[in-house]
Amino acid sequence: MGPDDLAYLIYTSGSTGVPKGAGNTHSAVCNLFEYVQDLYPCTEVDCVLQKTAIGFDVAVWEWFLPLMSGARLVVAKPDGHKDPSYLRSVIEQESVTIIHFVSSMQDLFIQEIEAFNGCSS
């Protein structure tokens, strides 16, 4: 296998609304890992929460970054990514240090934390 060979295929409707496959090469995946590792250094002392649905491309780095760096990987329950209260609980119980959120979910999660702590924005 070479760097330009297909690593995985993900299906998306993109901006067209028409489902299509989008391929990612091994070199592109390696570039992603290097970028994420530079942006959010991950080491054996970290704990990454894998909460993204497997069909979403973020799941690739959630699975492999901790495996590549020796970090601990915690896998959320199915559909756990939809429940900010559950996520807060897992983060606290497992001492999660790295987690990925899309903006809308991050907003819900922050609201949950503020409500839990009795804080306001």
Side-chain angles (χ1 to χ4, degrees), residues 2 7 12 15 21 24 29 43 48 59 65 71 92 96 99-101 110 118 120:
T12 177
S15 59
N24 223 348
V29 174
T43 70
V48 178
L65 186 65
E92 290 173 353
V96 171
I99 187 170
H100 176 273
F101 284 110
I110 290 170
S120 60

Side-chain angles (χ1 to χ4, degrees), residues 11-116:
Y11 288 89
T12 177
S13 62
S15 59
T16 65
V18 177
K20 61 185 169 288
N24 223 348
T25 64
H26 288 277
S27 63
V29 174
C30 288
N31 287 340
L32 171 67
F33 292 147
E34 284 182 27
Y35 171 75
V36 171
Q37 184 67 348
D38 285 346
L39 197 57
Y40 310 106
C42 184
T43 70
E44 66 279 352
V45 301
D46 285 302
C47 177
V48 178
L49 178 59
Q50 196 292 316
K51 61 161 189 51
T52 305
I54 196 71
F56 189 54
D57 61 344
V58 171
V60 172
W61 79 258
E62 284 182 343
W63 281 105
F64 289 102
L65 186 65
L67 297 175
M68 291 173 47
S69 62
R72 193 163 51 95
L73 173 63
V74 173
V75 180
K77 69 180 182 181
D79 289 329
H81 66 285
K82 298 176 183 178
D83 182 353
S85 181
Y86 165 76
L87 290 178
R88 177 186 45 79
S89 171
V90 171
I91 291 166
E92 290 173 353
Q93 290 173 5
E94 299 293 339
S95 301
V96 171
T97 57
I98 298 175
I99 187 170
H100 176 273
F101 284 110
V102 295
S103 298
S104 57
M105 188 62 201
Q106 179 179 324
D107 291 345
L108 288 173
F109 183 74
I110 290 170
Q111 290 172 11
E112 167 72 21
I113 296 302
E114 289 174 344
F116 179 76

